């Protein structure tokens, strides 16, 4: 297992800092994500005002190589969203390489699998109106500004919707990032936002399935698929006193 020792040393140094240094808010330069949201805010204000957005039927599915009326509409929408270059023909009905690249860019920006295929999840994102998207941007920009103003530095920041962890230095710049696992959109499985100081660090901790996950996720899965534990390298035990017996 690869371990980033400099990252661990940084966290240890952070934990050994005085509580005053850890908790004191620091005025920092706007985060790059905040700047991008500012740009998107202006873009979607214009889109919401011109009423040019096109919506798609929920049951269609578009693949690279397809040629139909929906492909031309897809070109128009992705051009408005900024994923397709304005120089590309908006009336061309073929789902070509340039359009595939634009679809993948749109999917990546919205946290979807970037496979270039316009399926149900991609259609849902495409069918969000500019006014709805504008409201999302306004809310997230407000959150970023509050974060930028009040958060103590340095810090470890987890962006839940983006599935990433960022390590920010004392100037607010991201110096390391990595992917993370988060919960699901359903209320019962969401990752809870927290704000806390790092007091200690555990490397390679032992982990057992929490009772809540066992009841809400594992048991329903076992009822449908008995082989899921084996495929995921998990073992189910029956405990009687101090004795544990594996259940095949």
């Amino acid at each position: 297992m690869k371990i980033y020792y400099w990252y661990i040393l940084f966290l240890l140094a952070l934990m050994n800092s005085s509580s005053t240094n850890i908790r004191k808010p620091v005025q920092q330069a706007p985060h790059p994500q905040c700047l991008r949201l500012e740009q998107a805010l202006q873009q979607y204000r214009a889109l919401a005002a011109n009423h040019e957005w096109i919506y798609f039927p929920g049951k269609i599915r578009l693949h690279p190589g397809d040629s139909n009326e929906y492909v031309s509409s897809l070109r128009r929408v992705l051009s408005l969203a900024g994923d397709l270059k304005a120089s590309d023909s908006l009336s061309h009905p073929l789902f070509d390489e340039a359009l595939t690249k634009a679809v993948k860019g749109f999917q990546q920006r919205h946290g979807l699998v970037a496979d270039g295929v316009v399926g149900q999840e991609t259609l849902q994102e495409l069918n969000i109106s500019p006014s709805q998207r504008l409201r999302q941007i306004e809310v997230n920009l407000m959150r970023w500004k509050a974060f930028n103003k009040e958060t103590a530095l340095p810090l470890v920041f987890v962006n839940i919707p983006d599935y990433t962890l960022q390590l920010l230095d004392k100037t607010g710049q991201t110096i390391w990032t990595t992917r993370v696992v988060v919960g699901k959109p359903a209320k019962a499985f969401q990752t809870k936002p927290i704000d806390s100081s790092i007091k200690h660090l555990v490397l390679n901790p032992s982990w057992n399935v929490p009772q809540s996950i066992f009841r809400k996720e594992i048991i329903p899965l076992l009822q449908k698929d008995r082989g899921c534990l084996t495929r995921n390298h998990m073992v189910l035990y029956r405990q009687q006193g101090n004795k544990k017996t594996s259940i095949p």
Side-chain angles (χ1 to χ4, degrees), residues 4 7 51-52 56 63 69 71 106 110 116 120 129 140 167 175 177 197 199 210 214 220 226 233 235-236 239 246 248:
Y4 294 87
Y7 171 58
H51 305 290
E52 295 182 8
F56 299 86
H63 300 79
E69 60 181 300
V71 174
F106 178 89
H110 292 83
Q120 182 179 5
S129 69
N140 282 282
L167 178 61
I175 58 176
T177 184
S197 299
K199 294 184 171 62
F214 182 72
R226 294 284 295 179
H233 310 289
V235 180
L236 179 63
Q239 185 162 351
S246 62

Side-chain angles (χ1 to χ4, degrees), residues 164-221:
T164 59
L165 177 149
Q166 299 177 39
L167 178 61
L168 277 63
D169 64 15
K170 62 182 180 180
T171 67
Q173 297 300 308
T174 300
I175 58 176
W176 188 66
T177 184
T178 185
R179 302 288 288 175
V180 295
V181 177
V182 303
K184 300 177 182 179
K187 186 175 182 180
F189 306 113
Q190 289 180 356
T191 297
K192 303 297 183 182
I194 62 171
D195 180 4
S196 180
S197 299
I198 297 176
K199 294 184 171 62
H200 64 275
L201 179 68
V202 179
L203 301 179
N204 298 325
S206 59
W207 185 82
N208 294 315
V209 177
Q211 285 295 316
S212 60
I213 294 179
F214 182 72
R215 291 194 305 270
K216 297 176 182 179
E217 299 185 49
I218 303 299
I219 290 180
L221 188 60

